[in-house]
């Protein structure tokens, strides 16, 4: 079954199409009491290259310093989490990486954090010929496009790689040891595979830095299933992508003006999420904030590092406005009551 799915992915089949179009399943778990609320700094946010289907690039500088690569470093990933990160997710032709490379050209290397990904493709012969070298070779190409000597975080894009976790870990460890990346992580991994990868990397003396999974008010699955907690317990960052549900949590889309069909993450019919949007709007109005800022603050308050796709200066401003404050416990409970749990898929989102 896995092989068939991987072949589909390799042929360009959508990873998410059709999976989120059912009725949203409300989350039953209550808000944690305030004492158990996230201790994540209020200044954590990662900026992705617009939406995943929008192949533009964006990034922000940070005043916080960043150490040069150190292969022997066991610096916990959480030390990186207070800095904004441009994410240069590799699209098929690497255009995001080229654009981000141009964007940061000339800036001091310790003034920004770069994250990119490797996707194991079943139909890519190199993945089989060089099972452990595939992530290494791919990162070398990414660095050429970025015109950089190293990235800060290198992720495995999804758990659908044809190689074993041990083989992937070997490749990731080689990247870290040769200084091509400061830290390594995974995306869309369920807890058991996170732990397997952590153990496999530990054999090479390399820590696992992060797990990146879809997380928002419209997808609390990783919170309910314990993926966020597992990251905290294991000294890792939990990154939550599609943090505003492809724009659905911003007020720009309505029943009359739904998002394009290609905006596939948490793609519930707008009719089905009206109650959620009404509560979000009420809290945003009371706070004098944009709905996007409140939605992102919700994620931060849950212990996630939101990865948000930004396409223009106003969207960047609203993302930044999610920082430096916290929703109250009452507001979190209100949002939890209208939140959606969602589920996982074997195709892609196992976490
Ligand atoms: N690991 C994975 O499998 C995976 C999967 C998906 C995404 N990601 C990562 O997560 C990043 C973000 O995810 P995403 O782009 O899918 O989802 P997102 O952040 O939930 O949505 C971003 C989109 O919402 C709109 N938007 C952003 N800020 C807004 C604001 N303040 N007001 C109104 N609209 C706003 C923009 O699109 P429009 O202006 O076009 O409406 C933007 O492209 C990606 O760049 C990628 O790095 C990872």
């Amino acid at each position: 079954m896995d092989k068939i799915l991987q072949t589909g992915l390799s042929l360009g089949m959508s990873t998410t199409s059709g999976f989120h179009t059912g009725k949203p399943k409300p989350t039953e778990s209550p808000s944690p009491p305030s004492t158990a609320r996230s201790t994540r700094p209020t200044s954590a946010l990662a900026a992705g290259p617009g939406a995943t289907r929008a192949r533009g690039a964006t990034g922000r500088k940070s005043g916080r310093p960043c150490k040069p690569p150190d292969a022997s470093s066991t610096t916990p990933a959480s030390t990186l989490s207070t800095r904004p990160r441009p994410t240069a997710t590799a699209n098929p032709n690497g255009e995001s990486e080229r654009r981000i490379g141009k964007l940061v050209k000339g800036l001091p290397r310790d003034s920004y954090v770069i994250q990119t990904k490797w996707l194991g493709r079943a139909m890519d012969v190199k993945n089989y010929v060089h099972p452990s070298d595939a992530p290494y070779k791919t990162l070398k190409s990414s660095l050429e496009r970025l015109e950089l000597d190293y990235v800060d975080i290198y992720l495995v894009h999804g758990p659908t790689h044809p190689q074993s976790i041990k083989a992937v870990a070997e490749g990731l460890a080689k990247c870290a040891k040769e200084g091509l990346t400061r830290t390594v992580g995974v995306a869309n991994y369920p807890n058991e595979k996170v732990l397997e990868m952590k153990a496999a990397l530990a054999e090479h003396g390399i820590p696992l830095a992060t797990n990146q999974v879809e997380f928002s008010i419209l997808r609390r699955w990783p919170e309910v299933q314990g993926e966020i907690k597992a990251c905290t317990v294991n000294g890792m960052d939990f990154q939550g992508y599609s943090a505003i549900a492809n724009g659905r949590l911003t007020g720009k889309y309505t029943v009359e003006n739904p998002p394009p069909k290609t905006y596939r993450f948490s793609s519930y019919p707008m009719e089905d999420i009206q109650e959620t949007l009404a509560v979000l709007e009420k809290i945003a109005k009371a706070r004098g904030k944009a709905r996007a800022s409140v939605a992102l603050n919700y994620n931060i308050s849950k212990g996630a590092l939101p990865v948000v796709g930004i396409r223009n200066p106003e969207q960047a401003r609203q993302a930044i406005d999610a920082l430096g404050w916290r929703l109250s416990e009452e507001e979190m409970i209100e949002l939890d009551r209208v939140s959606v749990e969602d589920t996982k898929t074997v195709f892609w989102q196992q976490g």
Side-chain angles (χ1 to χ4, degrees), residues 48-53 87 89 117 157 187-188 212 241-247 250 252-253 263 265 292 307-309 311 315 318 348:
T52 43
R53 69 268 146 210
T87 62
T89 307
K117 297 173 185 164
H157 204 153
N188 299 298
Q212 185 190 81
Y241 71 74
S242 297
I244 48 172
N246 289 166
T250 66
K252 75 192 290 182
Y253 298 117
Y263 287 29
F265 287 95
V307 186
V308 58
R311 302 240 264 184
Q315 291 181 358
Q318 291 184 7
W348 188 248

Side-chain angles (χ1 to χ4, degrees), residues 216-220 245 248-249 266 268 273 276 340-342:
S216 73
I217 299 168
L218 293 183
R219 189 176 195 267
R220 284 179 63 197
R248 287 175 183 81
L249 294 172
S266 295
Y268 302 109
I273 55 171
T276 312
V340 177
E341 179 173 332
D342 199 5

Side-chain angles (χ1 to χ4, degrees), residues 54-75:
R55 302 304 188 187
T58 188
R60 289 185 287 117
K61 274 197 298 171
S62 153
R64 297 283 301 271
C66 166
K67 287 188 201 134
D70 172 6
S72 65
S73 167
T74 51
T75 308

Side-chain angles (χ1 to χ4, degrees), residues 116-120 135 153-161 163 165 168-169 171-172 184-189 197 201 208 210-212 348:
T116 194
K117 297 173 185 164
W118 166 72
L119 171 62
I153 310 156
Y154 189 41
L155 301 182
V156 177
H157 204 153
T160 52
H161 42 80
Q163 300 94 328
I165 284 182
V168 174
L172 294 178
V184 297
V186 291
N188 299 298
Y189 268 43
M197 178 62 88
L201 282 166
L208 181 61
T210 187
N211 187 17
Q212 185 190 81
W348 188 248

